Amino acid sequence: MSSAPHFVPNHAPPDRPRENALLFLARGMELLVLEHADRVSIPTGADFPELAAGAHYLGQLDGVDCYAAGFTQEFIAPQGYKVVTARTLYRRLDDARFAVAGRALAIVEWDLTHRFCGRCGQPTQLVAGERARRCPVDKTPFYPRIAPAIIVLITRGDTMLLARNAQFPEPMFSTLAGFVEPGESLEECLAREVKEEVGIDVKNIRYFGSQPWPFGRSLMVGFTAEYAGGDIVVDPKEISEAHWFRPDQLPRIPPRLSIARQLIDAFVERIQGAAP
Ligand SMILES: [Zn+2]
């Protein structure tokens, strides 16, 4: 039996050469990869020694060191390399490397956007032994931030509420989601988002699982909830339509990567498992 790739995060770079390390080079939501005929791979430290020298240590993937560094708009990818939107690497990279790539994007973005102190404007410095930058003048620390968001599948009997986001370029239906506001509990956020987006009330909120979502620097916290009352009235700024769907009449739904899909699949399994 083969075991799944195992990533051990760490921020303290080991004292060993970086030639064989995986080097995740990020710019915004883009990543530099090596293109082969049928797949892509991640460059190594030997490919870009200067970038590797200043890179952030991420940890080890199956014993291989992983680093992340940024590259500039002026950067021209050498022959054989290509800058791609990281999202498109899903299934072209194995899941473990894809997940590390997500970390890399977030770390590089944090590093880039906290070069200066927000309090006094002085250049910040990396803190040894921590994933942090700090202002040398007023000592304000800047850690990588993530934004918690709730995502919820609302059920009513053997149906589930799925909505089409007004921003989605394609006609896809998904669960409801929204960012937690300061001072709000996850449950309060969930009730507010549901009320705002589709106008209904929910009960029996239950934790489902969570998923880091680096493309929005977010942590998606998944729940299920049951319909408690009200009629669907969508907020047209956020949602273009929302309906109750039975498992056997599903519209186009998100890909398997997403926690939205896991919520939907779990409900479908439960309903179909209970069917006579
Ligand atoms: Zn400062």
Side-chain angles (χ1 to χ4, degrees), residues 40-68:
V40 296
S41 65
I42 301 299
T44 63
D47 299 340
F48 300 96
E50 282 180 22
L51 291 172
H56 295 274
Y57 187 56
L58 300 177
Q60 282 194 322
L61 180 62
D62 284 340
V64 177
D65 291 327
C66 297
Y67 286 86

Side-chain angles (χ1 to χ4, degrees), residues 117 120 135 138:
C117 176
C120 75
C135 174
D138 53 43

Side-chain angles (χ1 to χ4, degrees), residues 19-80:
E19 286 97 61
N20 297 321
L22 293 174
L23 182 61
F24 292 82
L25 295 174
R27 181 176 67 190
M29 293 291 165
E30 297 173 321
L31 210 68
L32 184 76
V33 294
L34 260 166
E35 284 219 312
H36 310 280
D38 56 340
R39 65 191 174 91
V40 296
S41 65
I42 301 299
T44 63
D47 299 340
F48 300 96
E50 282 180 22
L51 291 172
H56 295 274
Y57 187 56
L58 300 177
Q60 282 194 322
L61 180 62
D62 284 340
V64 177
D65 291 327
C66 297
Y67 286 86
F71 60 95
T72 61
Q73 289 298 335
E74 292 75 37
F75 180 88
I76 296 164
Q79 186 76 29

